Amino acid sequence: MKRLAILTGILALAAPVALAQTSTWVSDPNHSEVDFSIIHLSVSKIHGRFGNVKATIVYDEADVTKSTVTATIGVDTVDTGVDARNTHLKSPDFFDIATMPTATFTSTSVAKNGNHLNVTGNLTLHGVTKPVVLDVVGPNGSMTDPKGKVHTGFSATTTLDRTAFGIGTKFPAGMVGNDVSLDIELEGIKQ
């Protein structure tokens, strides 16, 4: 009987520890964005950003392969700092935000890669879905805000071929580079 009581006590203590190993984080839209850069006229880089990033990360620290990521990015928020260029990027020549205002990402696998994570998933952008791999660093520590909410950060990078997603296909690579570098910064709030 004493053994049963001890075993029950151990299991009762172990349950909260097991639950604590998986955490859910929702992105803070005021502190999350997707930045991009692309070569222009084969001589210089143009930088821009997308805001309105809504992501949910379920992070299993005991087994990262059980972690998941889903995200929606407001492509209609594209901002390069130049109004005329922003208008052109929003047009059917590039993103066609009137019919495709968002991009989505859904992870299909997560793997440890040294101090980083490789998050593989399907990116739907401009009506085209392609697999991509994100090189992720995070979670980057944690901090509790004045309201008692715990925050952490995730950073990710990847490179896309814009033509594979049907973006700006009438513009040759000498005018607008094919490769687009993405830098993703997410500040997550623990749920």
Side-chain angles (χ1 to χ4, degrees):
M1 189 61 134
K2 188 175 183 179
R3 284 187 197 168
L4 182 58
I6 291 172
L7 183 59
T8 303
I10 290 171
L11 290 175
L13 291 173
V17 172
L19 291 174
Q21 293 175 352
T22 299
S23 53
T24 300
W25 303 85
V26 173
S27 61
D28 177 348
N30 296 319
H31 299 101
S32 301
E33 65 183 34
V34 176
D35 299 315
F36 66 88
S37 64
I38 189 168
I39 298 291
H40 180 250
L41 295 177
S42 301
V43 296
S44 65
K45 282 187 180 178
I46 301 299
H47 295 267
R49 67 178 292 276
F50 300 103
N52 196 18
V53 177
K54 297 175 184 171
T56 300
I57 299 162
V58 177
Y59 182 68
D60 187 326
E61 61 188 84
D63 184 357
V64 296
T65 64
K66 294 180 181 176
S67 301
T68 62
V69 179
T70 57
T72 301
I73 301 106
V75 178
D76 57 352
T77 65
V78 64
D79 183 9
T80 63
V82 178
D83 289 340
R85 182 169 46 224
N86 296 342
T87 299
H88 192 201
L89 288 173
K90 292 176 182 182
S91 78
D93 283 347
F94 289 96
F95 292 114
D96 193 11
I97 64 152
T99 57
M100 295 169 275
T102 61
T104 60
F105 176 82
T106 303
S107 65
T108 55
S109 69
V110 177
K112 195 94 165 133
N113 183 8
N115 293 330
H116 293 210
L117 298 173
N118 285 344
V119 178
T120 302
N122 292 317
L123 175 66
T124 301
L125 173 62
H126 198 247
V128 177
T129 302
K130 296 277 184 189
V132 299
V133 179
L134 303 177
D135 179 21
V136 178
V137 176
N140 299 324
S142 66
M143 185 64 88
T144 303
D145 69 18
K147 295 180 182 177
K149 295 182 179 182
V150 178
H151 294 242
T152 194
F154 296 89
S155 301
T157 59
T158 195
T159 301
L160 306 176
D161 177 348
R162 69 176 171 86
T163 62
F165 289 91
I167 297 171
T169 55
K170 68 181 183 179
F171 297 95
M175 186 174 218
V176 179
N178 286 342
D179 290 339
V180 181
S181 297
L182 298 181
D183 291 304
I184 302 158
E185 295 295 334
L186 293 178
E187 184 171 315
I189 302 171
K190 192 172 188 178
Q191 303 301 295

